[in-house]
Structure formats: structure tokens, C-alpha cells
Amino acid sequence: MEYSNGPVCIKDLERIASKVMPSGAWGYYDSGANDEQTKLDNMTAFDKYRLHPRMLRDVSNISTATTILGQPVPTPLGVAPCAMHKLAHADGELATSRAASQHGGVMILSTYSTTSLEKVIAQGNSNMQYWMQLYVYKERSVSEQIVRRAERAGFKALVLTVDAPALGRRLVDARNKFNPPAHLHLENFIDPEIVNNPDGYGADLSKSASETFGATFGANGDQSLSWENGIAWLKSITKLPIIVKGILTAEDTRLAIKYGCAGVIVSNHGGRQLDGTLASIDALPQVVEAAGDKIEVYMDGGIRKGTDIFKALALGARAVFVARPVLWGLAYNGEAGAKHALDLLQSELELTMMLSGTRTIGEIDDSYILEPESRWVQS
Amino acid sequence: MEYSNGPVCIKDLERIASKVMPSGAWGYYDSGANDEQTKLDNMTAFDKYRLHPRMLRDVSNISTATTILGQPVPTPLGVAPCAMHKLAHADGELATSRAASQHGGVMILSTYSTTSLEKVIAQGNSNMQYWMQLYVYKERSVSEQIVRRAERAGFKALVLTVDAPALGRRLVDARNKFNPPAHLHLENFIDPEIVNNPDGYGADLSKSASETFGATFGANGDQSLSWENGIAWLKSITKLPIIVKGILTAEDTRLAIKYGCAGVIVSNHGGRQLDGTLASIDALPQVVEAAGDKIEVYMDGGIRKGTDIFKALALGARAVFVARPVLWGLAYNGEAGAKHALDLLQSELELTMMLSGTRTIGEIDDSYILEPESRWVQS
Amino acid sequence: MEYSNGPVCIKDLERIASKVMPSGAWGYYDSGANDEQTKLDNMTAFDKYRLHPRMLRDVSNISTATTILGQPVPTPLGVAPCAMHKLAHADGELATSRAASQHGGVMILSTYSTTSLEKVIAQGNSNMQYWMQLYVYKERSVSEQIVRRAERAGFKALVLTVDAPALGRRLVDARNKFNPPAHLHLENFIDPEIVNNPDGYGADLSKSASETFGATFGANGDQSLSWENGIAWLKSITKLPIIVKGILTAEDTRLAIKYGCAGVIVSNHGGRQLDGTLASIDALPQVVEAAGDKIEVYMDGGIRKGTDIFKALALGARAVFVARPVLWGLAYNGEAGAKHALDLLQSELELTMMLSGTRTIGEIDDSYILEPESRWVQS
Amino acid sequence: MEYSNGPVCIKDLERIASKVMPSGAWGYYDSGANDEQTKLDNMTAFDKYRLHPRMLRDVSNISTATTILGQPVPTPLGVAPCAMHKLAHADGELATSRAASQHGGVMILSTYSTTSLEKVIAQGNSNMQYWMQLYVYKERSVSEQIVRRAERAGFKALVLTVDAPALGRRLVDARNKFNPPAHLHLENFIDPEIVNNPDGYGADLSKSASETFGATFGANGDQSLSWENGIAWLKSITKLPIIVKGILTAEDTRLAIKYGCAGVIVSNHGGRQLDGTLASIDALPQVVEAAGDKIEVYMDGGIRKGTDIFKALALGARAVFVARPVLWGLAYNGEAGAKHALDLLQSELELTMMLSGTRTIGEIDDSYILEPESRWVQS
Ligand SMILES: Cc1cc2nc3c(=O)[nH]c(=O)nc-3n(C[C@H](O)[C@H](O)[C@H](O)COP(=O)(O)O)c2cc1C
Ligand SMILES: Cc1cc2nc3c(=O)[nH]c(=O)nc-3n(C[C@H](O)[C@H](O)[C@H](O)COP(=O)(O)O)c2cc1C
Ligand SMILES: Cc1cc2nc3c(=O)[nH]c(=O)nc-3n(C[C@H](O)[C@H](O)[C@H](O)COP(=O)(O)O)c2cc1C
Ligand SMILES: Cc1cc2nc3c(=O)[nH]c(=O)nc-3n(C[C@H](O)[C@H](O)[C@H](O)COP(=O)(O)O)c2cc1C
């Protein structure tokens, strides 16, 4: 009866992180919008779906390998984009990138990383794909400059986050009046071209993460962004595949297909934006159905166990992403901690596959899952 | 990451009010009837309905403007009628009226206000509509006198509360043997014509709120009031539109249409009258369906967040009203506190619109909402 | 705002009784079988059903009068049979009978009363009906003797309890090793004819309640009792209407009709016999449907509020019975306490009628109630 | 009002065992996999099913006798296979076997017993059937040797556990780093033929249970086991009926029929293997339906009360097995404690039969049970 040492599950990492992190930063990582219904539902909604396992199959060799955007990866488990990993650990996104690359798969880097995109991708290897997460600013040249740098650095896709035309109302941050510590910088904005932009988007080393965030997301985020002026514009400036993050409906999935996106991430931003939407796992089936085989569907939100990943794959996700679990791992023990988080999830996924009689990711379909008869309906 | 100062959500105001108010008055404001199933369900029933938000729409200019009874108002959020605002703050209904008028929309004044209707409406402006809430007394001339004064003062509609032929059984008040403090007067009854009425309805300054309430609602409320003898009579004495408050069924909605009412307020009196009815939000759809486009449907009960307002509008309410949130704001900080309550709700509504891709009140319909498949049924 | 003095609801009486009664006797009154699922569900199941109230009806004169077994009674609220009222108060069933007769309706007396049936009925008046509850013993002459005395004393019906061929397993009593105090006697068994019976059923004043209970229910209850040998036999020895208590299914209701019973009481014995049955209120509709207009259907179990009575009537019960609430009232304050319990329930029923727009018991039907769409089904 | 002495229900035994056992051993007995959803659901899922009892039937003579694998047994209640009974009490499986044989029915012995199979079966009598539980090892001769010995000793069937190609992830054991105490031996492996096996499967008295478990289950369990290479092989080496333990689906039930098994045990291993499957009782109906009258269906998981047994029988199980309740009884008081556990369950089953009007096991069918309308569905 052997087990890995250290924290034995993701919830252990959460408990540890809640103790070792300063309360403001912890609050920022942890909080969801308003009453946190969606944040919590993201996790508990998985319980509704039950496994329907098959026995007496040869499970002596199982594999989690799959393809994403047409390229092979060793696992469908990736890292979701999160702002400011240095709030968790001084090594920040460098540590996360190293942990992820030992493990393989996709890492999505947040525009609001505290390490520049070039340094982050430099930790990668052939098992990894890096994707660059974007917001679009009133001054489009700022967004364009980030796209150009991501292309040059070798990012494989652009992830446009569409669920945040304004920041969600997170009561914990409001109570804490949280601002990131002054020594943290949003390094992607320390860029000559951006710094020179007259509207003050840019950041040099004298600007804190907080100031840059305010100047970009707060004051200069483009709230008029639309399918027409957003996706079409992005496609006009880059050849990278475009993935839309924050889709919760079949309707928007059909628009993503129409506007030529390569994939959608079913996500409610970890319950941090609009409180009261469906849990990601509950929204997934309708998106999968609308996507058909035209675009790839990924999901994030509430993944905390191997069975959660298995259920998302069974309901049609091609890959899943985790945000807070990796941040908790980082807070616990930097690179090793982030790797520990991914190791736990990966090994739990493998055990789930063995115990349910599935040997490849391709085999995992909805015949391995049961759901309660009642569903959410549109009237 | 900027937020308004002070309490960050309506529940904060509730907590503060529960501490600063005397326990008897707090109990009176807070309590529902019997086991408070309906009072609590009014709030939690909203959780069942989920938002179905749309992305990538231009939300740089959103507006909450709408029309009520044919007249434009800047917001569908109004103030429900509540007895005795001076229990919360010495400035009472004057403070509420000033707060509401900075904000615009509809304020419904309770017959049992501790400030006379003339003084309350004097705080208004062109962004505001005032409606007068009525009970009907055995001696109809008393009710008529209030109607006449409301007409003269400029009230735009009469709101007949029909869910209270007898007072609901509120256990907290029974335990506290609550009576309002002797220095409070129900000022609408300090009226020469009413005072002179032989049955002792009236109040002069020597009569406490408690005595007046007992003499009118308790002893002289007309329990024989019916569609025939109530609505028809009211229409015979006034040209003001009549709105019936306390409707929970399609059947009564059809009667409201038949008897020529201008609108109905779906309400269970904040759970203070008959415990065990549906939550207001759960009763709303059947009333909306019965109303068609013949009369306007409003609702109150349990609104505590911007998403609650959004859900009520999506299910067909033309406007919503809040009672306790405003009283809590008053208790917290008089006029500024009442305004803070309305500001929180208004800004949360606007954020909900942005995050769900709706730009006008007219756009908010049931395509933005999901409900659990099972509904309440009649056998 | 006037309320009756003293405890303001039935739950207050429960709390008081739990404090003033010796723990063994309290445990005996309170406990349900095994895990008490049914005992608790009896109460909470009412919450599922919601009121669908109608407004603007003349409710200035409401009446709770009805007929039971063809005779007028002032209220559909009656007293269920309970063993040993003297565990609650020295005045025992005399106090209960006096309280009930001030109030009117039906009182069912338990065979295992600590006051003789003749003394109990002597407290009655023309507003009252007394019914005698029976168990059938191996030695049928013992049961027959009780029937004869009930007939002579003026009881109007016999209530055969059929859900107790063996005593339910009540863990609290098992832990307490509860036995009634030695000075209490099951007075119906202090009867020359019974005492002389060779099998030792009878009790003289030297026999405690505990001994008599063991000698009758425990050792000599007739576990072979059936529709054929039970109901047919009873009909052969008496002309009194026979009511079967403890029916939970449509199937048995049809048998009750077939065997000529006058009514059935939907009951699970307050959750004290078979744990895991439906709550009484959930079992009621199928019994009502099977009964049609052929026999009367009553119910007991979990009635604690006026709205509970209203819901049972709306679902088709002709009358309802309460057990523990009356015992709690007795424990609180003897006759006055039992009356207080009945007064609370009666006045709450009247208020419910006013607030839901029903003026007579006849008007209360299932149009005043809503239920959740999902029901219990047989596979 | 007589009750058996001592603990009055299975939960009492659980509480006692949790106190008297060392925390590591208690953790091993108690724990389920991961978040223990399935472990807990195994018990609470029974609450959903409700009894539909029939009254007025002659229940003076009831019998729990039935047949299993064609042979009469006095009760459908048996003992599930559990590793290492000596963790609970020094008398271990000998005590369990003696307790079970006083009671009759089926006892399934775990391969990982701390008493040799020959000694365990020696306690039996003609009321008993012993079945031998198996795992299959890479080195098939080891499994074959156990089969041979079971045949010789008189075991009546082989139970192949199929839900454990790898050990479930039990967080409590991981935290405790639990290993059985060094003085315990897995006695079935102290076998000359096994000891001599070159891969080190065997155990002599110098090898602890922990070492043997690691050498067999951990390192040498055959993860490639399948219907083809597992069941077909087993049938080729023995004439004993083969029962597959750990089936949760109709699909696998059909395969069990196809491959010539005599029965299936619906089980999720007490929630210790794959967390997130259905509770056993919820999975039972679909297996029963697929089984038809071709093979026998048994179940284990969460049985704690007589009504649980009754519900499983009503839903189609031919027999049920209990694991933890017997272990708790053992921990409480060795043989007498294990017998107390079985006595409680047996007498509660009999009482349930009396109170629901069923006199034989054959009479118990789904007409005595109700279920909520919504079921688990495959999409
Ligand atoms: C602290 C934090 C920061 C985040 N920052 C971003 C971000 O910069 N861009 C983005 O698209 N999503 C961001 N997200 C959302 C995540 O990408 C992801 O959608 C969500 O957190 C997944 O849910 P999980 O945390 O339950 O795994 C952030 C989430 C957290 C918790
Ligand atoms: C303290 C208090 C006093 C009230 N007084 C009146 C009143 O005088 N007339 C009336 O029609 N409704 C009255 N109501 C009911 C409200 O108008 C409204 O229907 C209800 O409170 C809305 O629910 P909410 O409190 O959850 O917002 C009162 C409610 C409260 C809480
Ligand atoms: C202490 C006690 C004693 C009872 N004794 C009897 C009895 O002797 N005969 C009988 O038919 N029912 C008896 N019952 C059951 C009641 O008549 C009734 O079915 C049930 O308690 C109603 O539920 P309630 O207590 O929730 O009102 C007894 C119930 C209690 C609580
Ligand atoms: C401590 C323990 C050890 C077990 N060992 C085995 C085993 O060796 N072989 C096996 O097939 N099942 C084993 N099981 C599973 C049981 O046979 C059974 O499926 C399950 O525990 C039944 O659930 P219950 O504990 O709720 O009665 C074990 C269960 C427990 C609790």
C-alpha cells in the first residue's frame, strides 16, 4: 500500500495554500463573484454525474495520450491561464512552466502573467504546447504587439477570453481592497512598443502590476468587442488558431464556428465573473452537441480529481484545464508543488481509467457516465 | 480593481441593520409568517434559475431605462411599500424618498407611513413616479379620503394590497409582543376628515402608530372586500390606474384584467402573510403568461442582488420592488444608506447586463435564463 | 397586533414538554422507529406542497364546520389515539377529553388509556364524537368486551389499528429500557370479565401499565389478524362503523371498501412502527383516489400547523388527527395546555382559510395546492 | 417492551468499533476511495426507496428461508469477503465463521484472510455455505493452488472480485501510511506450493500480512485479466460455480451470462475502489433486469438495517452481504459481537416483513417498494 508522499489530494493543497498565502492574495485566488454560487457549483456539479464502469478488461497498459489541435500530447490535462503566479511563489510562471513541461500537455499563459511570455515558453519541450491568452484593448495595436510576440516566441494558439468585458464583482477583494504587492510587474507590458503607446497602457519596471492592470483591463479594455470586430480582426492579423474562452451556450458555439475559431473553452472563469451561470460541466454537453466535429471543445472550472477529468472527457471535452489547483501547488512548494498538483490529477485520471475499464482517451465516451434524468431547460 | 466604499452587498446592510436596530423593530422588519418558509424561499428560489449569458457583444453602452405605465423611468428597480420607515431612522420616509429620487423609478408609499404622503412626494422629481398603497376600511370614506389626497399630491397610481384581509402570524412579533414606540405616528391618518370619523379611525398627534394601526387595520379593515365590491368601487371614485398587490395565481390575474386593473404585483408580502405559498419568482411565470400584453406585471420578494432583478425581468416582470434592502440601508445610514442599497442593486444589474450580453431592458427575455426541468404543478 | 398569550406555536409546546417531562416518558412520546426517517418526513413532507391562494374574496365569515360519519362537527381537527396520557400529566385523558370537548370534533381514545373509557366519554358534549381505538387479541372475548363497553358508553365508531402486529423498534426506548411508572394502570383492562380471563390479560389495580401492556399487546396480540378473520368478525359482533387506522396504500383502501369499513385513517403511527414508509401526507392522495366517495378518508402524522391541516384537507382528507401536539400541551399545562394546542391549530387553520380565500371546509380542494412535478412511483 | 441487550443498532456497533480499534486499522476498515461519495451514497441511497406496506395479513408465522445456488439456507443475509479480520479481534475469521454458522446462510471468505481457509470452514455446519473469494495473479498457478484447496475444503463457490485491477485511492490510509501490524499473516499464502513460487508470492510465518499483500495484490495482480482470459480459464480448472463480484452494469451482467457465471454480486467494494459510481442499491435494478432468470443476482454495500435488506430483496437481489457491520461486531466483542450484528439485522428483517405484510422471502417483490420518479439515465 504505497502512496506518493506529501499532500494526498488537491484539497490538501488548497488547505495548505490558504494557510501559507497572505490573506489578500489568497482571497484574490480563491474568490468567485458575488455569492459564489457558480464557483462552488463548478465543483459540486460533478457529483451529479456518476461513473458506469466496465470490468474484466485488460488494463495492464493504459495511455492518456491524445491530440490537441492536431498535435499529439501525452495528456488531456492542461494549465488554465491565471494572472500573476508570483502571488503564490517568487518563481511564478517560470516554476509553473517547468512543472507543466515535465508533465506535458498544454499550458495557457495569461496576458497578465508576472513573467514575460518569452521567458515562460523557454521552459518548454516537445511534449508541450503553449497557448497565449489575450484580452483586446481599445488601442488594438497593444493587443497586436502581444500577438506578434507570441507568434515569434512559438505559441501555438491564441486564447481570447470573452467573459470579461468588465471585471466580476468579487466581494472578498472588495472587502480586502486587494491590490497586488508593488514589486510585482505584469511583464508582458514591459515592452518598448507598448510603453510608448500614448494612452499609457504600457508598464516599465517602475509600474506595479496593479497600475498596469488598471490602465489596461480597467480603463482601456474594449467593451465594444464583438464577433464581427473581434474575431474577424484577430484572424486578419494572425495565422494562429483562435480559441474562444468563456463560452457557455450552444448559440455562441455556433457563432464560434461561423467566425472560424479553432476551438472553444467552456468556462465561467472559475465563477469569478457572472455568478449564477451553470457549472462548466453542466454547460459542456450542449456546447459539445453544437460543436459536432467542426471545432474542438475544451473546458475548465472545478476540476479537482481524476474522476472530474474523466467525466468531462466522457461528456465530450477534448481537454481540460485547471487553474487554482496549480496555483495552490505553487503556493505550497513552487515548481515541485505545481508538479505535485499535476501528478495527483494525472495519476488519479489513470487510476480512474483502470477502474472503469477504459484504456485510451478515445475510448472514454458517454457510455461510461450516468446522469440524473432532469436537465436544465430553456423555456 | 475599484469598488464602492462601505458595505459591499445587500447582505452586509442586513447584518449591520440587525445590529444597530432595537430588537423589537428589527424583529418586525425581519420576520415572516409562521416557520418563514416563504420568506426564505423568496430568496433561495432565485438560485434555481441560471443565467445563460451571451458573449462578444458590444456592451460599451448599456441602459436600464424602461417605461412603466407608459411613462419612461431610468430603471425597473423600485421601492416596495413598507409601514413605518421611522423604525429604521428618524428621517423615515423622507430619507427614503430623497434616496429614491436621486436614483429614479417608482416608489410605492405605504398607507402606514410615519410621514404624510404629501411630505414624501415633495422630495420627488421628474425621474420619479410615486404610487400610493391602500387598504380598504369598513368605513369606505376613510379610504376615499386617502385616495383624494394622493390624487391631489400627484401620485400616479393606486396600489391595493389584497393579501392581508387579516394580519399574518409572525411568531417573532408575538414573542416580542412588539408595538412601535409611542412617539411614532401614522401621519396619513392625522387628517381632519378621518379624525372626525365616528368609528375612531383617525389619529391626532396624541395617538401612537400602534393605536392607529389597531383602530384601522385590526378592527376596521374590510374583510368582506372582493373583486366586485372592492375594485369596482375604487374605479368608481378615481381615474388613477389601479394596481393589485399580492397576486400569486393565473386565475386572479385573469380577474384583475376582467376588473380593469392596470397591473398586478406578484408578491407574497415578503413571506409575512401566508406561509407556504410559492416564492414570488416561482409564481411569476404563470402570472406573466396569464397577463399576456393586457396588463403590466411587477414583482417583489427576495430581491437581494443584480442577478435577481435580471432573472425577474427575464421571466417577464416589467419592474421589481425591494422592501427590506431599503429599510436596512435606512437603518445603516438614513438617506445615504437607502441610496447605497439602491446603488448596489442598480450597479449589479448593470454589470449583469454587461456580462450576459444584454444592452437594453427590452433585450432581457427568457432566452437568457435556464430553469430546472421540474416545475410546480396543479393536480 | 394581538396574539394569544403563552407559547406561540406547537413547536414551543414541544420544547417545553421536552424539558418538563421525565426523559423516559419524553423518549416514549417522541420516538419513532429505527432511524426516524418516517417520523421526521411526516413533518417535512408538508413543505413540498405549496399553497395557491386566491385573493379578494369576502372572508368576513368563515366556518370550519363539516360532517364526519354523517354528523356535523365544528371542526375537522381531532385527537388521535395515544397510549397513557398520564405520562404527560396526572389528569391524563380526563384533561384531554375536557380540552377537546371545549373545542369540539372527534377524539379517538386509545385502548391503552390510563383512564377508563367510561370516564373519558363522560366529559363530552354534543359537539363531540368519541371513537374507540382497538387492538385484537388472541382471546377475542377480551376485544369483544371492550367493544361492548364502548357501545354502552356511547362511542360512535371503532378504530382498528392495523399497523402494529408487532411493536416497532424504537431505539430510544431500547436505550432507556423504558417502562411506564408502576402507579399507572391501563384502566380499560380493570374489568371483571377481562380480569377473569384465564390467559392473564386483565389488570386489577395491583397491575402496572407495563405489566398489562406486556400481557396484552406483547404476548397476546393476534398476529394472525386479517381482513377476513378481523374485519368480518368485528362486523359480526357490532353495528358501530369500523374505521381502519394505519392504511398507506390504494390496494388496502380497496380492501377496506370491500370488507365494509366506514373509513380509513392514512397513518404510519407517527413513524413509530415501520420506518421508511411514505409520510402520511404523501400517501394520502393515492388513498383518496382509491376511496372515491365510497368511504371517508382521514389522516394523521406530522400535523403541526394550520397550513398542514389545510393541505391535508386540500388533498382529500375529511378530517385530520393530532397526537403528539396534544400530549405536549398536556405536559405543559394539563387541560389548559391541551386546549392551547388545539386552539393554536384551530386558529391557524382559520387564518389560513382567510388568507387563501376559502370560506368553508367544502371549498378547500386541490385547486388551492401545488405540488412538485415528481411523485413516488411503483415500478 | 423488551429489547435485546447491548448495542441496539448497527450504528451503535460502528461507534463502539471506532473507539476501541487502533486508528490505523479503523481507518482501513472505514475508509472509502477519494471523497467517499460512493461509500456514503451506498447507505443514504436506501432512503430514496420507500416501503409500501400491506396490512391485515396473517403474519404469525414468517420465514426468511430461501435458496441460494439451488440449496436451501435459513436467511438471505450473508457475510461479504473482507481482508484481515484479525485487525478487529484476535480471534479473527474463526470468530466470524462461528458467529455466521450459528446464524446460517453464506459466508464469503477473503483470499486475504488472516486465518487459513481450511480452519475457517471447519467452523461451519449444514446451515452454512462457504464461498471462496479470489484475485487472479500473473502467476496463475498461485490462484489455481487456492482454488484447489477451496475445493478440497468444501467451499461451494468461487467469488472472483473484478473491481480491483488496482487498489482504490483511500486518502485515510495514505495519510496514516497504514500497514497491518507485523504479527498478522495472510495465512492462505502460507502454503508450500505458493511459498516455493519463484516470484516471491508466498508467505511463511516470517512474512507479515503487509509484505504478502504487496507481493501479491500490489506487484503480481494480473491487470490484464479479462472475460476471455479470466473466466474462461477459471472454468477450465474447476467445476465450482463462479460468481463475479463488483458488477455495476447491465452490459457486464450480460457478459457474465455469456461467459457462464452462476451469479453476480452488485457491489462497488464498499466505495473503496472507484469513487463516483452509483450506490449498489441504485445499480441493482438494471443488473436484475439484465440477469432475468439466467443467473442469480446478489448485492452488497451499505446494508445497515433490516429495511435495507428488504429493499434490496424487493428490487430483485436473491441475497445480500454485509462487510463492515460484521467487522464492527467483531471489534466490539469477537464472536459474540459478530453474532450480535447478524442478530440485529436478521431480527430487523423479520420485523420489517411482519410490518409490511410479507411472510416469505418469495413474497417480497417490487410491489412493496416505491421509488422517486427520476432515475439515473444513460445519454
Ligand atoms: C487567480 C485567477 C486568475 C485568473 N486569471 C485569468 C486570466 O488572466 N485570464 C483568463 O482568461 N482567465 C483567468 N482565470 C480563469 C481561469 O483561466 C479559469 O477559467 C478558471 O479559474 C478555472 O477554474 P478552476 O480555478 O476551478 O480550475 C483566472 C482564475 C484565477 C483563479
Ligand atoms: C417591515 C415591512 C413592512 C411592510 N409594510 C407593508 C405595507 O404597509 N403595505 C404593503 O402592501 N406591503 C408591506 N410590506 C410588504 C412589502 O411591500 C413587500 O411586498 C415585501 O416586503 C417584499 O419583499 P422583500 O422585503 O423581500 O423585498 C411590508 C414589508 C416589510 C418587510
Ligand atoms: C405516545 C404515543 C402513543 C400512541 N399510542 C397509540 C395507540 O395506543 N393506538 C394507536 O392506534 N396509535 C397510537 N399512536 C399513534 C397515533 O395515534 C398517531 O397515529 C400518530 O402519533 C400521529 O402522528 P403525530 O404524533 O405526528 O400527530 C401513538 C402515538 C404516540 C406518539
Ligand atoms: C475492510 C474491508 C476489507 C475488504 N476486503 C475485501 C476483499 O478482500 N475482497 C473483496 O472482494 N472485497 C473486500 N471488501 C469489500 C466487501 O466485500 C464489500 O464489497 C463491501 O465492503 C460491502 O459494503 P459494506 O462494507 O457497506 O457492507 C472489503 C471491505 C472492507 C470494508
Side-chain angles (χ1 to χ4, degrees), chain C residues 3-295:
Chain C
Y3 292 95
S4 65
N5 289 318
V8 301
C9 62
I10 295 293
K11 281 185 188 163
D12 281 0
L13 292 174
E14 181 177 14
R15 267 187 294 266
I16 294 169
S18 76
K19 283 181 194 145
V20 302
M21 288 182 69
S23 67
W26 166 256
Y28 171 69
Y29 276 8
D30 180 52
S31 62
N34 301 88
D35 286 346
E36 307 197 332
Q37 180 189 20
T38 296
K39 178 189 114 170
L40 292 170
D41 199 22
N42 267 354
M43 292 175 285
T44 54
F46 282 104
D47 295 349
K48 284 199 304 284
Y49 300 91
R50 298 297 177 83
L51 301 169
H52 189 72
R54 303 296 304 277
M55 304 300 155
L56 283 174
R57 289 176 172 178
D58 178 349
V59 291
S60 53
N61 283 298
I62 62 153
S63 160
T64 65
T66 186
T67 66
I68 296 182
L69 294 178
Q71 302 190 0
V73 283
T75 177
L77 170 65
V79 179
C82 301
M84 302 187 276
H85 291 201
K86 286 189 183 165
L87 288 173
H89 191 275
D91 296 345
E93 291 82 1
L94 281 191
T96 313
S97 184
R98 284 175 196 141
S101 63
Q102 285 170 68
H103 178 267
V106 175
M107 173 170 172
I108 313 180
L109 184 68
S110 169
T111 280
Y112 291 117
S113 63
T114 39
T115 311
S116 74
L117 61 91
E118 290 83 359
K119 285 190 229 151
V120 173
I121 199 172
Q123 315 305 318
N125 58 33
S126 64
N127 272 333
M128 285 292 294
Q129 283 183 34
Y130 288 84
W131 297 355
M132 186 67 205
Q133 183 266 329
L134 294 181
Y135 289 108
V136 176
Y137 303 107
K138 288 184 188 152
E139 181 50 62
R140 295 285 169 101
S141 68
V142 175
S143 301
E144 186 169 348
Q145 172 65 1
I146 294 178
V147 171
R148 293 281 164 260
R149 285 168 53 200
E151 284 172 330
R152 279 196 298 271
F155 282 76
K156 289 271 180 292
L158 300 175
V159 175
L160 182 70
T161 301
V162 296
D163 56 9
L167 202 66
R169 182 145 178 82
R170 301 164 201 168
L171 304 185
V172 174
D173 288 344
R175 289 191 215 291
N176 289 345
K177 302 190 197 298
F178 175 67
N179 275 318
H183 71 277
L184 294 192
H185 308 287
L186 299 182
E187 295 196 0
N188 292 325
F189 293 84
I190 306 177
D191 177 292
E193 297 214 21
I194 299 178
V195 171
N196 294 336
N197 178 289
D199 289 323
Y201 287 87
D204 57 24
L205 280 171
S206 70
K207 282 219 185 140
S208 70
S210 173
E211 288 168 291
T212 311
F213 188 81
T216 55
F217 192 102
N220 287 309
D222 185 356
Q223 299 187 327
S224 75
L225 201 74
S226 68
W227 292 100
E228 297 79 10
N229 70 27
I231 306 295
W233 167 77
L234 211 51
K235 287 185 70 88
S236 77
I237 66 159
T238 183
K239 292 265 168 299
L240 285 178
I242 294 163
I243 289 155
V244 185
K245 176 171 182 280
I247 296 300
L248 291 167
T249 64
E251 293 89 331
D252 281 341
T253 307
R254 285 189 286 265
L255 289 174
I257 297 170
K258 176 172 159 195
Y259 284 90
C261 301
V264 296
I265 305 182
V266 175
S267 172
N268 47 42
H269 216 111
R272 298 162 73 83
Q273 287 293 110
L274 181 59
D275 195 32
T277 65
L278 290 194
S280 297
I281 191 71
D282 286 336
L284 180 61
Q286 57 173 300
V287 170
V288 165
E289 200 188 334
D293 53 8
K294 304 224 180 68
I295 48 175

Side-chain angles (χ1 to χ4, degrees), chain D residues 112-377:
Chain D
Y112 292 116
S113 63
T114 38
T115 311
S116 75
L117 59 92
E118 290 83 359
K119 285 190 229 153
V120 173
I121 198 172
Q123 315 305 317
N125 58 33
S126 64
N127 271 335
M128 286 292 294
Q129 284 183 33
Y130 288 84
W131 297 354
M132 186 67 206
Q133 182 266 329
L134 294 181
Y135 290 108
V136 176
Y137 304 106
K138 287 183 189 156
E139 181 50 62
R140 295 285 169 102
S141 67
V142 174
S143 302
E144 186 169 347
Q145 171 65 0
I146 294 178
V147 171
R148 293 279 164 260
R149 285 168 52 199
E151 286 171 332
R152 279 196 298 270
F155 281 76
K156 290 270 182 292
L158 299 176
V159 175
L160 183 70
T161 301
V162 295
D163 55 10
L167 202 66
R169 182 148 178 79
R170 301 164 199 168
L171 303 186
V172 175
D173 288 343
R175 288 191 217 292
N176 289 346
K177 301 189 196 301
F178 174 68
N179 275 318
H183 71 277
L184 295 191
H185 309 286
L186 300 183
E187 294 197 359
N188 292 325
F189 292 83
I190 305 177
D191 178 292
E193 297 214 23
I194 299 177
V195 171
N196 295 337
N197 178 289
D199 288 324
Y201 287 88
D204 56 26
L205 281 170
S206 70
K207 282 216 184 144
S208 70
S210 173
E211 288 167 292
T212 313
F213 188 81
T216 54
F217 192 102
N220 287 309
D222 185 356
Q223 298 187 327
S224 75
L225 201 74
S226 67
W227 292 100
E228 297 79 11
N229 70 28
I231 305 296
W233 167 78
L234 211 51
K235 287 184 71 87
S236 75
I237 65 160
T238 184
K239 293 263 167 301
L240 286 178
I242 294 163
I243 289 154
V244 186
K245 175 170 182 281
I247 296 300
L248 291 168
T249 64
E251 293 90 329
D252 281 341
T253 308
R254 285 190 285 267
L255 289 174
I257 296 171
K258 176 171 159 193
Y259 283 89
C261 301
V264 295
I265 305 182
V266 175
S267 173
N268 46 42
H269 214 112
R272 298 162 74 81
Q273 286 294 111
L274 181 59
D275 194 34
T277 67
L278 289 194
S280 297
I281 192 70
D282 286 336
L284 180 61
Q286 56 173 300
V287 170
V288 166
E289 201 190 333
D293 53 8
K294 304 226 180 66
I295 48 175
E296 298 197 338
V297 177
Y298 322 108
M299 73 85 76
D300 71 28
I303 300 267
R304 302 291 179 265
K305 294 187 290 188
T307 48
D308 296 340
I309 306 174
F310 185 96
K311 290 173 185 180
L313 300 178
L315 288 172
R318 184 143 204 100
V320 304
F321 296 94
V322 289
R324 292 185 187 90
V326 170
L327 298 177
W328 298 331
L330 264 184
Y332 160 55
N333 198 14
E335 175 188 333
K339 181 169 177 303
H340 192 67
L342 294 169
D343 286 350
L344 280 171
L345 291 168
Q346 176 69 19
S347 64
E348 287 174 8
L349 171 61
E350 290 168 13
L351 183 57
T352 302
M353 290 175 70
M354 292 185 72
L355 297 183
S356 61
T358 51
R359 286 136 310 186
T360 63
I361 297 297
E363 257 185 341
I364 303 172
D365 64 22
D366 63 10
S367 72
Y368 293 92
I369 212 166
L370 298 168
E371 15 181 334
E373 220 163 8
S374 75
R375 285 238 197 171
W376 295 98
V377 292

